[in-house]
Amino acid sequence: MVTPAKLEQGSREWFEMVGTVVCRALNRAAPRDVVDWTLVERYADGRPMPDGLIQGIRFDIRDGRATFRVGAGPDERGDATIEVTVAAARALNLLHSDDPRFDSAREDAVETGAMRVEGDLSPIATALVETHDYIVDRTA
């Protein structure tokens, strides 16, 4: 079995991998409780990307089908919005979900303001949990 290559966190290729695996999980899920919903996640201190976007990702569920776009607007909002520092994202993307340090790293990021979550993530929470460890395994 070939091990997939690791990708640099925050690179376009890494965000494309994240978008692909999360959308695959979302589109495989049934029943489709959510018809129209958007998540915007961006690095609070991220680098600029083309078209005025910064490092981040936008997930859209339209008519029950999930898609993504690499990059997020600096002030773009969704039904849920996550703003996270590169360092906090890095800390979380290096820990598997069963690592005892994972929950405390996430709680610390929220308590210190390194990660802010607005809105309700429950429409895609299962897909995020389901894909987290795969993303960790692909993160360089």
Side-chain angles (χ1 to χ4, degrees):
M1 179 178 198
V2 176
T3 304
K6 291 192 177 242
L7 303 168
E8 178 187 346
Q9 178 187 315
S11 67
R12 174 170 286 285
E13 296 79 15
W14 184 83
F15 280 117
E16 295 219 10
M17 177 271 300
V18 169
T20 299
V21 299
V22 171
C23 283
R24 192 176 298 143
L26 286 166
N27 289 330
R28 166 173 76 236
R32 303 216 185 281
D33 295 338
V34 178
V35 176
D36 293 309
W37 187 84
T38 301
L39 166 66
V40 174
E41 181 173 345
R42 75 174 144 271
Y43 291 164
D45 52 352
R47 293 187 312 260
M49 298 181 82
D51 302 325
L53 302 176
I54 60 172
Q55 285 175 300
I57 194 164
R58 176 187 172 114
F59 291 98
D60 286 296
I61 300 173
R62 297 290 174 254
D63 297 323
R65 195 86 186 135
T67 60
F68 72 94
R69 178 193 75 210
V70 174
D75 297 315
E76 186 175 14
R77 295 276 181 253
D79 295 294
T81 304
I82 300 171
E83 196 165 62
V84 60
T85 65
V86 172
R90 180 83 180 145
L92 294 169
N93 287 322
L94 292 177
L95 298 171
H96 286 99
S97 57
D98 63 352
D99 188 310
R101 299 169 295 171
F102 178 74
D103 287 334
S104 62
R106 186 178 54 215
E107 290 167 11
D108 184 57
V110 171
E111 287 174 12
T112 63
M115 182 168 72
R116 291 191 319 254
V117 180
E118 297 173 0
D120 180 12
L121 291 172
S122 65
I124 68 165
T126 300
L128 294 177
V129 169
E130 182 181 306
T131 59
H132 177 78
D133 288 346
Y134 178 83
I135 293 167
V136 169
D137 290 341
R138 297 284 318 272
T139 301

